[in-house]
Amino acid sequence: KGVKVTVALSQNKDDDYNDTIIIDNRRYLQWSDYRGTPISEEGCYLYTTILFDDERNFTDQYLEINLKLTPIVLRNKSWVGKSIQSGKLLNNEHYQSLLTYLYTLKLKKRLESTTFDIKNCLEQIRTIYSSVTDELLTETQKYFYETKSGTKVKEQSQWEEKIDTQIIQLAKNN
């Protein structure tokens, strides 16, 4: 007769041997998290994404879908050239990871506020996921353009405040 969707966030399990870091606003990135082979000594790349797993159960009246969202950094796909490692750049990279966390919270909120149709609920979930990850990509590009990888101090500070404020607001509701 209907669809019930529940959404949960994965919790951070800090494990130095694991290739995956679950992003949240309590763990700060370190240069040692960048374990990939640099393709340039003057470059830096942080691999972040939002994973989701789903479990589906059919009851006599509902299709129950339990979604688990996991914002991650992949260490072995993230790299940095030794010559450019600085506190400003690491802070900029950290806030890139927090953008991924923020958009995971936005995805959770959007999924929880959607009324799903039993005939196309999985397509609805995929569409919402794609929309939010597209928004994340656009916002990340804007972030790097405006902050120049953390070298524009005023703009970096404004972005940090914006990201922190939005995380706090969305976390209250989660």
Side-chain angles (χ1 to χ4, degrees):
K1 292 191 178 198
V3 180
K4 288 184 180 178
V5 176
T6 57
V7 186
L9 294 179
S10 294
Q11 298 300 310
N12 190 359
K13 293 175 229 148
D14 202 8
D15 179 357
D16 271 347
Y17 300 102
N18 193 337
D19 184 44
T20 304
I21 298 170
I22 298 174
I23 304 167
D24 64 24
N25 60 340
R26 294 179 299 267
R27 186 193 187 282
Y28 203 85
L29 284 179
Q30 305 295 317
W31 287 126
S32 60
D33 293 326
Y34 292 71
R35 296 182 180 171
T37 303
I39 61 171
S40 163
E41 282 304 309
E42 299 297 318
C44 183
Y45 179 73
L46 181 67
Y47 186 100
T48 64
T49 193
I50 303 170
L51 303 177
F52 78 89
D53 296 315
D54 69 283
E55 279 182 14
R56 293 173 236 154
N57 299 309
F58 295 95
T59 65
D60 53 339
Q61 297 203 7
Y62 290 99
L63 167 60
E64 295 177 352
I65 302 174
N66 298 310
L67 297 172
K68 182 160 60 169
L69 305 177
T70 311
I72 64 165
V73 168
L74 286 180
R75 288 175 165 156
N76 288 332
K77 291 192 182 228
S78 301
W79 57 267
V80 62
K82 296 264 186 240
S83 65
I84 67 162
Q85 293 182 19
S86 71
K88 281 184 183 178
L89 180 58
L90 182 60
N91 186 60
N92 182 263
E93 293 283 295
H94 173 69
Y95 272 89
Q96 177 198 345
S97 76
L98 288 182
L99 267 176
T100 303
Y101 179 65
L102 170 62
Y103 276 81
T104 305
L105 294 173
K106 288 183 178 200
L107 175 58
K108 182 178 187 292
K109 181 178 181 181
R110 203 167 299 170
L111 288 166
E112 289 174 336
S113 65
T114 299
T115 302
F116 291 96
D117 181 330
I118 197 158
K119 292 178 183 166
N120 68 348
C121 58
L122 296 178
E123 183 60 35
Q124 285 177 282
I125 291 169
R126 277 190 227 96
T127 299
I128 292 167
Y129 176 84
S130 292
S131 173
V132 171
T133 55
D134 287 348
E135 292 168 22
L136 170 59
L137 178 60
T138 300
E139 195 74 353
T140 301
Q141 290 169 341
K142 184 178 172 186
Y143 169 68
F144 283 121
Y145 177 77
E146 291 182 5
T147 64
K148 301 288 187 244
S149 296
T151 60
K152 294 180 96 179
V153 177
K154 178 182 173 192
E155 289 80 357
Q156 180 67 37
S157 179
Q158 290 169 340
W159 271 94
E160 289 173 19
E161 185 176 333
K162 174 183 170 181
I163 293 167
D164 288 340
T165 299
Q166 288 183 27
I167 287 173
I168 289 167
Q169 289 172 346
L170 285 170
K172 282 181 187 176
N173 301 324
N174 285 308

